[in-house]
Amino acid sequence: MKTEYFLAAELAALVLPLLAMAAAQLATEKWKVPCLVFGQMAALFNAASAVLVGLSGMDADAHRLGSGTFSLRLDFASACLITGMTFITTVVLSFSERYLGGEKYRLTFLYLVTFLSSCAAWLTCTDSMAVACVFWCLLSVGLYTAVRLHAPERASAQVVLRHHLLSDVCMIASAMLLYGAVGTSQFSQLSSVTAGLNSHVEAGGVALPVTYGTCACSLLVLAFSIKSALFPFHRWLLATLDAPTPLSGLLHAGVVNVSAIMAWRLMPVLQTEPAVLTAWGTIAALSAIAGTLSMSAQPDVKRKLVYSTVGQMGFMALQCASGALGAALFHMVAHGLFKCHMFLQSGNAVAEGVNKRKFGWSTSELPGAKDGTVRKLVVVTVAVAACIAIYELNMNHCATWVSTVIAASALLTAVPSMHRITPTSLVTFWVTVMAVVTGAALLCTGFEQRLSHTPGYGQSWLLPTFLLVFASLATILQLAKNSEWSKALYVHSLNGFYIDDIASRSKTLTSIRRTT
């Protein structure tokens, strides 16, 4: 009985937003927006009910509905992800209804928000690579339409479209290679038919020195990196800065996270190519470092949040490449809720800045400011975080505890004006962070235990290795805060390491060559 109710509730959470869109089309002008909001609220209620049923002792195995191309794969993890998506969408719809009250495209924007959320939800539950590719491409179309809706004459929508088209092409090409190599398009069958990936690619009757698995996994990693806005593919995310705040909240909370869902489904294929996973983990670590550094130097609130997403997506991709799939999915949900809140309340940044300036202390008034006590405490706390990570790795808790220590270290080192915090405040802050991180780790552990398939895929050494790199870099930056090279690093971080400038210069040179 529990299984039937679980399947019915999760299926209703998928269908109700689409029915709400259809009902809104038939309703009068007064009831269009309530139909969309009530549809999302009903979907949220059903998804949350499915999660509660899953927590009540139901088995964690995936359940399939349908057969062939249009089959669905419903399990506890997908129910949790849909719950987070529908909750964020409900909040964004309610916020947008007031935020865009005077805009003529308000209703169209609300339809697009519902459409994007539905595409992400169906992408989470489908068991077919072909259907997943369709929803992957529909997310690109919906995002491009939403950005163009606000500013049809600007080039930002074109930047978004070019990046996402490249991601879509890579995803479709990888799906075709996988189908040609293993002969199936079902995610649930990939773990048992990966032998065909070892055959070599042929061109003109000559076998090339690469296999189908290498080509397919490389294309998948490229598609994931672009869609997740990893450095240096984050230009499209910067291009959405002029989009309405509700779209930014949904985009940073949902659309950029879908790569973790596809990586979760396709990990039986990705784990056959350790070199590709290592390359993905390296790109992810570079993105985490570059995004965090750029975020800490930005004076603009929305630009700071954009670079924060670049860094967080780097952490999430690093977890995926390391095989910590449960931690990556949990990170995805937590980051979505946090980043949606940050964007929707970004309008209060000016008032918060005034309060900080009004009630803030100067550096000379703080105890320990002259002798460097605070800086020493920062170094000690980062070193302790690295030691805890190594200990937990040796205790086989890499998937959960090491990931949460990464989050704690990043949060600690990203706090602005760290040199103006008293030692007492720093200790209080660190204790609070560790309490929150411990609670999150316990939740993450419970989430991992309820996943249907969580073998030790991936390169597990990537996570602790790059954690030590992060801790060492944070320590060096704190010790050499006023050196010449740290000032130069600040300038480079402020300019986003010139990726946007390089792309603009390349475009200008290309146009000059065409005219000549």
Side-chain angles (χ1 to χ4, degrees), residues 61-75 123-130 132 178 182-194 261-269 452-453 455 457:
D61 294 334
H63 302 275
R64 290 190 62 187
L65 292 180
S67 60
T69 304
F70 301 100
S71 60
L72 297 177
R73 188 180 181 185
L74 307 178
D75 52 19
L123 176 67
T124 302
C125 293
T126 183
D127 193 39
S128 170
M129 286 188 293
L178 288 176
V182 301
T184 181
S185 63
Q186 306 298 311
F187 291 127
S188 56
Q189 299 177 7
L190 288 179
S191 58
S192 59
V193 294
T194 54
I261 299 173
M262 290 296 288
W264 168 42
R265 297 299 194 193
L266 292 168
M267 190 54 75
V269 174
S452 54
H453 297 285
Y457 289 140

mmCIF file of all heavy atoms in Angstrom, residues 61-75 123-130 132 178 182-194 261-269 452-453 455 457:
data_model
loop_
_atom_site.group_PDB
_atom_site.id
_atom_site.type_symbol
_atom_site.label_atom_id
_atom_site.label_comp_id
_atom_site.label_asym_id
_atom_site.label_seq_id
_atom_site.Cartn_x
_atom_site.Cartn_y
_atom_site.Cartn_z
ATOM 1 N N ASP A 61 14.431 0.955 -3.227
ATOM 2 C CA ASP A 61 14.644 0.575 -4.621
ATOM 3 C C ASP A 61 13.797 1.431 -5.554
ATOM 4 O O ASP A 61 12.696 1.865 -5.202
ATOM 5 C CB ASP A 61 14.300 -0.898 -4.828
ATOM 6 C CG ASP A 61 15.263 -1.811 -4.075
ATOM 7 O OD1 ASP A 61 16.402 -1.375 -3.849
ATOM 8 O OD2 ASP A 61 14.854 -2.930 -3.724
ATOM 9 N N ALA A 62 14.335 1.652 -6.746
ATOM 10 C CA ALA A 62 13.617 2.449 -7.742
ATOM 11 C C ALA A 62 12.458 1.638 -8.313
ATOM 12 O O ALA A 62 12.532 0.417 -8.464
ATOM 13 C CB ALA A 62 14.562 2.876 -8.850
ATOM 14 N N HIS A 63 11.387 2.328 -8.656
ATOM 15 C CA HIS A 63 10.198 1.704 -9.242
ATOM 16 C C HIS A 63 9.983 2.286 -10.631
ATOM 17 O O HIS A 63 10.032 3.505 -10.818
ATOM 18 C CB HIS A 63 8.969 1.953 -8.367
ATOM 19 C CG HIS A 63 9.114 1.461 -6.964
ATOM 20 N ND1 HIS A 63 8.855 0.167 -6.585
ATOM 21 C CD2 HIS A 63 9.525 2.100 -5.830
ATOM 22 C CE1 HIS A 63 9.075 0.027 -5.292
ATOM 23 N NE2 HIS A 63 9.489 1.187 -4.812
ATOM 24 N N ARG A 64 9.763 1.424 -11.585
ATOM 25 C CA ARG A 64 9.576 1.856 -12.973
ATOM 26 C C ARG A 64 8.106 1.870 -13.331
ATOM 27 O O ARG A 64 7.346 0.961 -12.968
ATOM 28 C CB ARG A 64 10.331 0.938 -13.931
ATOM 29 C CG ARG A 64 11.847 1.065 -13.857
ATOM 30 C CD ARG A 64 12.500 0.305 -14.986
ATOM 31 N NE ARG A 64 12.092 0.847 -16.278
ATOM 32 C CZ ARG A 64 12.406 0.290 -17.454
ATOM 33 N NH1 ARG A 64 13.099 -0.833 -17.479
ATOM 34 N NH2 ARG A 64 12.002 0.843 -18.578
ATOM 35 N N LEU A 65 7.720 2.904 -14.056
ATOM 36 C CA LEU A 65 6.380 3.016 -14.602
ATOM 37 C C LEU A 65 6.495 3.128 -16.110
ATOM 38 O O LEU A 65 7.269 3.935 -16.619
ATOM 39 C CB LEU A 65 5.658 4.248 -14.048
ATOM 40 C CG LEU A 65 5.279 4.245 -12.569
ATOM 41 C CD1 LEU A 65 4.584 5.544 -12.192
ATOM 42 C CD2 LEU A 65 4.377 3.060 -12.237
ATOM 43 N N GLY A 66 5.728 2.316 -16.817
ATOM 44 C CA GLY A 66 5.801 2.332 -18.264
ATOM 45 C C GLY A 66 6.946 1.482 -18.770
ATOM 46 O O GLY A 66 7.650 0.809 -18.017
ATOM 47 N N SER A 67 7.150 1.530 -20.072
ATOM 48 C CA SER A 67 8.206 0.739 -20.688
ATOM 49 C C SER A 67 8.748 1.477 -21.898
ATOM 50 O O SER A 67 8.092 2.376 -22.442
ATOM 51 C CB SER A 67 7.667 -0.640 -21.107
ATOM 52 O OG SER A 67 6.604 -0.489 -22.041
ATOM 53 N N GLY A 68 9.950 1.121 -22.277
ATOM 54 C CA GLY A 68 10.542 1.710 -23.468
ATOM 55 C C GLY A 68 10.974 3.148 -23.248
ATOM 56 O O GLY A 68 11.447 3.539 -22.187
ATOM 57 N N THR A 69 10.759 3.945 -24.279
ATOM 58 C CA THR A 69 11.255 5.325 -24.285
ATOM 59 C C THR A 69 10.575 6.188 -23.237
ATOM 60 O O THR A 69 11.192 7.099 -22.671
ATOM 61 C CB THR A 69 11.057 5.946 -25.676
ATOM 62 O OG1 THR A 69 11.702 5.114 -26.655
ATOM 63 C CG2 THR A 69 11.650 7.346 -25.743
ATOM 64 N N PHE A 70 9.328 5.938 -22.951
ATOM 65 C CA PHE A 70 8.552 6.811 -22.073
ATOM 66 C C PHE A 70 8.415 6.247 -20.656
ATOM 67 O O PHE A 70 7.439 6.523 -19.965
ATOM 68 C CB PHE A 70 7.169 7.061 -22.675
ATOM 69 C CG PHE A 70 7.210 7.692 -24.027
ATOM 70 C CD1 PHE A 70 7.039 6.929 -25.170
ATOM 71 C CD2 PHE A 70 7.462 9.041 -24.163
ATOM 72 C CE1 PHE A 70 7.091 7.509 -26.423
ATOM 73 C CE2 PHE A 70 7.521 9.637 -25.412
ATOM 74 C CZ PHE A 70 7.342 8.867 -26.544
ATOM 75 N N SER A 71 9.365 5.457 -20.218
ATOM 76 C CA SER A 71 9.318 4.902 -18.871
ATOM 77 C C SER A 71 9.835 5.916 -17.858
ATOM 78 O O SER A 71 10.682 6.766 -18.163
ATOM 79 C CB SER A 71 10.152 3.613 -18.803
ATOM 80 O OG SER A 71 11.496 3.883 -19.146
ATOM 81 N N LEU A 72 9.318 5.815 -16.641
ATOM 82 C CA LEU A 72 9.734 6.669 -15.535
ATOM 83 C C LEU A 72 10.413 5.819 -14.466
ATOM 84 O O LEU A 72 10.066 4.645 -14.285
ATOM 85 C CB LEU A 72 8.528 7.395 -14.924
ATOM 86 C CG LEU A 72 7.778 8.369 -15.820
ATOM 87 C CD1 LEU A 72 6.578 8.938 -15.087
ATOM 88 C CD2 LEU A 72 8.691 9.499 -16.283
ATOM 89 N N ARG A 73 11.350 6.434 -13.763
ATOM 90 C CA ARG A 73 12.060 5.768 -12.684
ATOM 91 C C ARG A 73 11.875 6.591 -11.419
ATOM 92 O O ARG A 73 12.485 7.643 -11.245
ATOM 93 C CB ARG A 73 13.547 5.637 -13.032
ATOM 94 C CG ARG A 73 14.350 4.795 -12.066
ATOM 95 C CD ARG A 73 15.800 4.753 -12.513
ATOM 96 N NE ARG A 73 16.627 3.945 -11.633
ATOM 97 C CZ ARG A 73 17.935 3.833 -11.745
ATOM 98 N NH1 ARG A 73 18.573 4.492 -12.708
ATOM 99 N NH2 ARG A 73 18.622 3.069 -10.912
ATOM 100 N N LEU A 74 11.001 6.138 -10.538
ATOM 101 C CA LEU A 74 10.619 6.886 -9.349
ATOM 102 C C LEU A 74 11.227 6.237 -8.112
ATOM 103 O O LEU A 74 11.080 5.036 -7.894
ATOM 104 C CB LEU A 74 9.088 6.927 -9.217
ATOM 105 C CG LEU A 74 8.321 7.430 -10.451
ATOM 106 C CD1 LEU A 74 6.822 7.387 -10.207
ATOM 107 C CD2 LEU A 74 8.758 8.822 -10.834
ATOM 108 N N ASP A 75 11.925 7.038 -7.305
ATOM 109 C CA ASP A 75 12.513 6.547 -6.072
ATOM 110 C C ASP A 75 12.564 7.685 -5.063
ATOM 111 O O ASP A 75 12.082 8.796 -5.323
ATOM 112 C CB ASP A 75 13.906 5.949 -6.316
ATOM 113 C CG ASP A 75 14.816 6.900 -7.076
ATOM 114 O OD1 ASP A 75 14.521 8.109 -7.102
ATOM 115 O OD2 ASP A 75 15.816 6.446 -7.655
ATOM 116 N N LEU A 123 12.994 15.615 -16.093
ATOM 117 C CA LEU A 123 14.354 15.153 -16.326
ATOM 118 C C LEU A 123 14.843 14.292 -15.164
ATOM 119 O O LEU A 123 15.584 13.322 -15.360
ATOM 120 C CB LEU A 123 15.281 16.361 -16.513
ATOM 121 C CG LEU A 123 16.773 16.083 -16.675
ATOM 122 C CD1 LEU A 123 17.031 15.347 -17.986
ATOM 123 C CD2 LEU A 123 17.577 17.372 -16.636
ATOM 124 N N THR A 124 14.421 14.627 -13.956
ATOM 125 C CA THR A 124 14.829 13.868 -12.773
ATOM 126 C C THR A 124 14.250 12.458 -12.776
ATOM 127 O O THR A 124 14.906 11.517 -12.318
ATOM 128 C CB THR A 124 14.371 14.607 -11.506
ATOM 129 O OG1 THR A 124 14.932 15.916 -11.498
ATOM 130 C CG2 THR A 124 14.794 13.876 -10.249
ATOM 131 N N CYS A 125 13.046 12.293 -13.312
ATOM 132 C CA CYS A 125 12.329 11.027 -13.163
ATOM 133 C C CYS A 125 12.365 10.121 -14.390
ATOM 134 O O CYS A 125 12.005 8.949 -14.272
ATOM 135 C CB CYS A 125 10.861 11.308 -12.810
ATOM 136 S SG CYS A 125 10.636 12.053 -11.191
ATOM 137 N N THR A 126 12.765 10.632 -15.535
ATOM 138 C CA THR A 126 12.728 9.786 -16.724
ATOM 139 C C THR A 126 13.813 8.723 -16.664
ATOM 140 O O THR A 126 14.887 8.922 -16.075
ATOM 141 C CB THR A 126 12.904 10.639 -17.988
ATOM 142 O OG1 THR A 126 12.798 9.802 -19.135
ATOM 143 C CG2 THR A 126 14.248 11.319 -18.008
ATOM 144 N N ASP A 127 13.548 7.582 -17.268
ATOM 145 C CA ASP A 127 14.508 6.487 -17.333
ATOM 146 C C ASP A 127 15.075 6.320 -18.733
ATOM 147 O O ASP A 127 15.762 5.351 -19.022
ATOM 148 C CB ASP A 127 13.850 5.175 -16.891
ATOM 149 C CG ASP A 127 14.853 4.066 -16.629
ATOM 150 O OD1 ASP A 127 15.926 4.364 -16.078
ATOM 151 O OD2 ASP A 127 14.581 2.906 -17.013
ATOM 152 N N SER A 128 14.806 7.283 -19.597
ATOM 153 C CA SER A 128 15.226 7.203 -20.991
ATOM 154 C C SER A 128 16.218 8.320 -21.296
ATOM 155 O O SER A 128 15.961 9.492 -20.997
ATOM 156 C CB SER A 128 14.017 7.294 -21.929
ATOM 157 O OG SER A 128 14.424 7.440 -23.274
ATOM 158 N N MET A 129 17.347 7.978 -21.906
ATOM 159 C CA MET A 129 18.316 8.985 -22.300
ATOM 160 C C MET A 129 17.745 9.899 -23.379
ATOM 161 O O MET A 129 18.041 11.102 -23.406
ATOM 162 C CB MET A 129 19.595 8.318 -22.806
ATOM 163 C CG MET A 129 20.448 7.707 -21.728
ATOM 164 S SD MET A 129 22.059 7.151 -22.355
ATOM 165 C CE MET A 129 21.538 5.809 -23.431
ATOM 166 N N ALA A 130 16.932 9.354 -24.273
ATOM 167 C CA ALA A 130 16.355 10.170 -25.340
ATOM 168 C C ALA A 130 15.429 11.240 -24.764
ATOM 169 O O ALA A 130 15.500 12.416 -25.138
ATOM 170 C CB ALA A 130 15.602 9.278 -26.322
ATOM 171 N N ALA A 132 15.456 12.332 -21.685
ATOM 172 C CA ALA A 132 16.275 13.236 -20.886
ATOM 173 C C ALA A 132 16.941 14.287 -21.771
ATOM 174 O O ALA A 132 17.038 15.460 -21.379
ATOM 175 C CB ALA A 132 17.325 12.442 -20.115
ATOM 176 N N LEU A 178 26.500 6.491 -26.841
ATOM 177 C CA LEU A 178 26.181 5.472 -25.840
ATOM 178 C C LEU A 178 25.195 4.449 -26.397
ATOM 179 O O LEU A 178 25.361 3.232 -26.189
ATOM 180 C CB LEU A 178 25.594 6.140 -24.589
ATOM 181 C CG LEU A 178 26.562 6.934 -23.717
ATOM 182 C CD1 LEU A 178 25.825 7.614 -22.581
ATOM 183 C CD2 LEU A 178 27.655 6.029 -23.160
ATOM 184 N N VAL A 182 26.227 0.503 -26.533
ATOM 185 C CA VAL A 182 25.636 -0.467 -25.597
ATOM 186 C C VAL A 182 24.266 -0.954 -26.037
ATOM 187 O O VAL A 182 23.755 -1.924 -25.483
ATOM 188 C CB VAL A 182 25.545 0.147 -24.178
ATOM 189 C CG1 VAL A 182 26.919 0.557 -23.692
ATOM 190 C CG2 VAL A 182 24.600 1.351 -24.144
ATOM 191 N N GLY A 183 23.643 -0.284 -27.007
ATOM 192 C CA GLY A 183 22.380 -0.773 -27.545
ATOM 193 C C GLY A 183 21.179 -0.560 -26.666
ATOM 194 O O GLY A 183 20.155 -1.238 -26.845
ATOM 195 N N THR A 184 21.226 0.340 -25.714
ATOM 196 C CA THR A 184 20.079 0.637 -24.856
ATOM 197 C C THR A 184 20.047 2.121 -24.554
ATOM 198 O O THR A 184 21.084 2.788 -24.553
ATOM 199 C CB THR A 184 20.137 -0.159 -23.540
ATOM 200 O OG1 THR A 184 18.979 0.141 -22.745
ATOM 201 C CG2 THR A 184 21.368 0.192 -22.745
ATOM 202 N N SER A 185 18.845 2.618 -24.314
ATOM 203 C CA SER A 185 18.676 4.025 -23.952
ATOM 204 C C SER A 185 18.102 4.189 -22.552
ATOM 205 O O SER A 185 17.651 5.277 -22.192
ATOM 206 C CB SER A 185 17.753 4.723 -24.967
ATOM 207 O OG SER A 185 16.455 4.136 -24.939
ATOM 208 N N GLN A 186 18.109 3.115 -21.759
ATOM 209 C CA GLN A 186 17.544 3.137 -20.416
ATOM 210 C C GLN A 186 18.654 3.342 -19.384
ATOM 211 O O GLN A 186 19.652 2.609 -19.384
ATOM 212 C CB GLN A 186 16.800 1.835 -20.118
ATOM 213 C CG GLN A 186 15.744 1.471 -21.144
ATOM 214 C CD GLN A 186 14.646 2.505 -21.231
ATOM 215 O OE1 GLN A 186 14.095 2.920 -20.222
ATOM 216 N NE2 GLN A 186 14.323 2.924 -22.450
ATOM 217 N N PHE A 187 18.472 4.311 -18.508
ATOM 218 C CA PHE A 187 19.455 4.542 -17.455
ATOM 219 C C PHE A 187 19.615 3.324 -16.554
ATOM 220 O O PHE A 187 20.719 3.005 -16.105
ATOM 221 C CB PHE A 187 19.043 5.748 -16.601
ATOM 222 C CG PHE A 187 19.134 7.061 -17.316
ATOM 223 C CD1 PHE A 187 18.046 7.924 -17.365
ATOM 224 C CD2 PHE A 187 20.302 7.452 -17.938
ATOM 225 C CE1 PHE A 187 18.128 9.139 -18.010
ATOM 226 C CE2 PHE A 187 20.404 8.665 -18.593
ATOM 227 C CZ PHE A 187 19.315 9.516 -18.628
ATOM 228 N N SER A 188 18.513 2.652 -16.264
ATOM 229 C CA SER A 188 18.539 1.530 -15.322
ATOM 230 C C SER A 188 19.309 0.336 -15.861
ATOM 231 O O SER A 188 19.673 -0.558 -15.091
ATOM 232 C CB SER A 188 17.113 1.115 -14.975
ATOM 233 O OG SER A 188 16.386 0.794 -16.158
ATOM 234 N N GLN A 189 19.588 0.286 -17.171
ATOM 235 C CA GLN A 189 20.290 -0.854 -17.763
ATOM 236 C C GLN A 189 21.756 -0.560 -18.058
ATOM 237 O O GLN A 189 22.477 -1.444 -18.521
ATOM 238 C CB GLN A 189 19.580 -1.266 -19.061
ATOM 239 C CG GLN A 189 18.151 -1.704 -18.869
ATOM 240 C CD GLN A 189 17.464 -2.036 -20.189
ATOM 241 O OE1 GLN A 189 18.090 -2.066 -21.235
ATOM 242 N NE2 GLN A 189 16.155 -2.276 -20.127
ATOM 243 N N LEU A 190 22.211 0.655 -17.794
ATOM 244 C CA LEU A 190 23.575 1.021 -18.169
ATOM 245 C C LEU A 190 24.623 0.244 -17.378
ATOM 246 O O LEU A 190 25.686 -0.106 -17.902
ATOM 247 C CB LEU A 190 23.785 2.525 -17.960
ATOM 248 C CG LEU A 190 23.084 3.455 -18.950
ATOM 249 C CD1 LEU A 190 23.362 4.912 -18.598
ATOM 250 C CD2 LEU A 190 23.530 3.170 -20.380
ATOM 251 N N SER A 191 24.346 -0.019 -16.096
ATOM 252 C CA SER A 191 25.346 -0.676 -15.255
ATOM 253 C C SER A 191 25.658 -2.095 -15.706
ATOM 254 O O SER A 191 26.720 -2.630 -15.366
ATOM 255 C CB SER A 191 24.872 -0.695 -13.794
ATOM 256 O OG SER A 191 23.626 -1.357 -13.688
ATOM 257 N N SER A 192 24.768 -2.709 -16.476
ATOM 258 C CA SER A 192 24.967 -4.107 -16.881
ATOM 259 C C SER A 192 25.410 -4.255 -18.329
ATOM 260 O O SER A 192 25.671 -5.374 -18.778
ATOM 261 C CB SER A 192 23.669 -4.899 -16.675
ATOM 262 O OG SER A 192 22.608 -4.330 -17.425
ATOM 263 N N VAL A 193 25.516 -3.155 -19.084
ATOM 264 C CA VAL A 193 25.838 -3.256 -20.518
ATOM 265 C C VAL A 193 26.975 -2.321 -20.909
ATOM 266 O O VAL A 193 27.064 -1.895 -22.059
ATOM 267 C CB VAL A 193 24.592 -2.959 -21.381
ATOM 268 C CG1 VAL A 193 23.537 -4.024 -21.203
ATOM 269 C CG2 VAL A 193 24.034 -1.577 -21.066
ATOM 270 N N THR A 194 27.860 -1.996 -19.969
ATOM 271 C CA THR A 194 28.931 -1.051 -20.270
ATOM 272 C C THR A 194 30.109 -1.689 -20.996
ATOM 273 O O THR A 194 31.087 -0.991 -21.327
ATOM 274 C CB THR A 194 29.449 -0.405 -18.968
ATOM 275 O OG1 THR A 194 29.825 -1.440 -18.044
ATOM 276 C CG2 THR A 194 28.375 0.476 -18.348
ATOM 277 N N ILE A 261 22.032 15.783 -11.567
ATOM 278 C CA ILE A 261 21.012 14.749 -11.794
ATOM 279 C C ILE A 261 21.440 13.820 -12.917
ATOM 280 O O ILE A 261 21.361 12.588 -12.806
ATOM 281 C CB ILE A 261 19.656 15.409 -12.106
ATOM 282 C CG1 ILE A 261 19.205 16.277 -10.928
ATOM 283 C CG2 ILE A 261 18.608 14.357 -12.425
ATOM 284 C CD1 ILE A 261 17.968 17.097 -11.210
ATOM 285 N N MET A 262 21.907 14.405 -14.037
ATOM 286 C CA MET A 262 22.350 13.577 -15.153
ATOM 287 C C MET A 262 23.601 12.778 -14.791
ATOM 288 O O MET A 262 23.754 11.627 -15.218
ATOM 289 C CB MET A 262 22.617 14.465 -16.366
ATOM 290 C CG MET A 262 21.367 15.055 -16.986
ATOM 291 S SD MET A 262 20.259 13.795 -17.665
ATOM 292 C CE MET A 262 21.178 13.273 -19.097
ATOM 293 N N ALA A 263 24.503 13.371 -14.016
ATOM 294 C CA ALA A 263 25.688 12.630 -13.585
ATOM 295 C C ALA A 263 25.299 11.448 -12.698
ATOM 296 O O ALA A 263 25.916 10.371 -12.764
ATOM 297 C CB ALA A 263 26.638 13.565 -12.841
ATOM 298 N N TRP A 264 24.288 11.648 -11.868
ATOM 299 C CA TRP A 264 23.786 10.565 -11.010
ATOM 300 C C TRP A 264 23.261 9.413 -11.864
ATOM 301 O O TRP A 264 23.543 8.236 -11.593
ATOM 302 C CB TRP A 264 22.716 11.140 -10.094
ATOM 303 C CG TRP A 264 21.893 10.148 -9.340
ATOM 304 C CD1 TRP A 264 22.323 9.014 -8.722
ATOM 305 C CD2 TRP A 264 20.485 10.217 -9.109
ATOM 306 N NE1 TRP A 264 21.266 8.366 -8.110
ATOM 307 C CE2 TRP A 264 20.126 9.089 -8.337
ATOM 308 C CE3 TRP A 264 19.487 11.128 -9.463
ATOM 309 C CZ2 TRP A 264 18.819 8.857 -7.935
ATOM 310 C CZ3 TRP A 264 18.187 10.896 -9.046
ATOM 311 C CH2 TRP A 264 17.862 9.768 -8.291
ATOM 312 N N ARG A 265 22.505 9.721 -12.904
ATOM 313 C CA ARG A 265 21.948 8.677 -13.757
ATOM 314 C C ARG A 265 23.013 8.010 -14.622
ATOM 315 O O ARG A 265 22.938 6.807 -14.909
ATOM 316 C CB ARG A 265 20.865 9.274 -14.658
ATOM 317 C CG ARG A 265 19.659 9.848 -13.928
ATOM 318 C CD ARG A 265 18.935 8.807 -13.119
ATOM 319 N NE ARG A 265 17.614 9.243 -12.685
ATOM 320 C CZ ARG A 265 16.893 8.622 -11.775
ATOM 321 N NH1 ARG A 265 17.371 7.548 -11.169
ATOM 322 N NH2 ARG A 265 15.690 9.077 -11.442
ATOM 323 N N LEU A 266 24.007 8.780 -15.061
ATOM 324 C CA LEU A 266 24.994 8.275 -16.012
ATOM 325 C C LEU A 266 26.308 7.869 -15.356
ATOM 326 O O LEU A 266 27.281 7.587 -16.065
ATOM 327 C CB LEU A 266 25.279 9.348 -17.073
ATOM 328 C CG LEU A 266 24.125 9.644 -18.028
ATOM 329 C CD1 LEU A 266 24.395 10.914 -18.827
ATOM 330 C CD2 LEU A 266 23.892 8.471 -18.979
ATOM 331 N N MET A 267 26.378 7.820 -14.037
ATOM 332 C CA MET A 267 27.619 7.468 -13.362
ATOM 333 C C MET A 267 28.114 6.063 -13.703
ATOM 334 O O MET A 267 29.340 5.834 -13.753
ATOM 335 C CB MET A 267 27.465 7.635 -11.854
ATOM 336 C CG MET A 267 28.773 7.514 -11.088
ATOM 337 S SD MET A 267 30.078 8.610 -11.685
ATOM 338 C CE MET A 267 29.514 10.189 -11.037
ATOM 339 N N PRO A 268 27.264 5.058 -13.977
ATOM 340 C CA PRO A 268 27.801 3.764 -14.419
ATOM 341 C C PRO A 268 28.647 3.864 -15.676
ATOM 342 O O PRO A 268 29.563 3.055 -15.876
ATOM 343 C CB PRO A 268 26.529 2.925 -14.662
ATOM 344 C CG PRO A 268 25.519 3.513 -13.751
ATOM 345 C CD PRO A 268 25.800 4.991 -13.730
ATOM 346 N N VAL A 269 28.359 4.847 -16.522
ATOM 347 C CA VAL A 269 29.170 5.065 -17.721
ATOM 348 C C VAL A 269 30.403 5.890 -17.395
ATOM 349 O O VAL A 269 31.523 5.575 -17.824
ATOM 350 C CB VAL A 269 28.330 5.761 -18.818
ATOM 351 C CG1 VAL A 269 29.192 6.130 -20.014
ATOM 352 C CG2 VAL A 269 27.184 4.871 -19.253
ATOM 353 N N SER A 452 18.759 4.639 -3.875
ATOM 354 C CA SER A 452 18.559 3.272 -4.334
ATOM 355 C C SER A 452 19.848 2.602 -4.769
ATOM 356 O O SER A 452 20.012 1.407 -4.636
ATOM 357 C CB SER A 452 17.557 3.261 -5.502
ATOM 358 O OG SER A 452 17.976 4.156 -6.520
ATOM 359 N N HIS A 453 20.799 3.345 -5.336
ATOM 360 C CA HIS A 453 22.054 2.749 -5.790
ATOM 361 C C HIS A 453 23.175 3.729 -5.471
ATOM 362 O O HIS A 453 23.325 4.746 -6.136
ATOM 363 C CB HIS A 453 22.019 2.461 -7.294
ATOM 364 C CG HIS A 453 20.971 1.470 -7.686
ATOM 365 N ND1 HIS A 453 21.119 0.121 -7.446
ATOM 366 C CD2 HIS A 453 19.765 1.623 -8.273
ATOM 367 C CE1 HIS A 453 20.046 -0.518 -7.900
ATOM 368 N NE2 HIS A 453 19.210 0.365 -8.402
ATOM 369 N N PRO A 455 26.873 2.904 -5.059
ATOM 370 C CA PRO A 455 28.180 2.265 -4.984
ATOM 371 C C PRO A 455 29.288 3.312 -4.996
ATOM 372 O O PRO A 455 29.051 4.482 -5.273
ATOM 373 C CB PRO A 455 28.223 1.410 -6.258
ATOM 374 C CG PRO A 455 27.303 2.111 -7.204
ATOM 375 C CD PRO A 455 26.224 2.728 -6.354
ATOM 376 N N TYR A 457 31.399 4.812 -6.804
ATOM 377 C CA TYR A 457 31.877 5.226 -8.101
ATOM 378 C C TYR A 457 32.817 6.426 -7.958
ATOM 379 O O TYR A 457 32.825 7.135 -6.954
ATOM 380 C CB TYR A 457 30.706 5.625 -9.008
ATOM 381 C CG TYR A 457 29.845 4.477 -9.465
ATOM 382 C CD1 TYR A 457 28.466 4.611 -9.519
ATOM 383 C CD2 TYR A 457 30.403 3.267 -9.841
ATOM 384 C CE1 TYR A 457 27.667 3.568 -9.955
ATOM 385 C CE2 TYR A 457 29.611 2.222 -10.271
ATOM 386 C CZ TYR A 457 28.246 2.375 -10.330
ATOM 387 O OH TYR A 457 27.468 1.344 -10.755
#
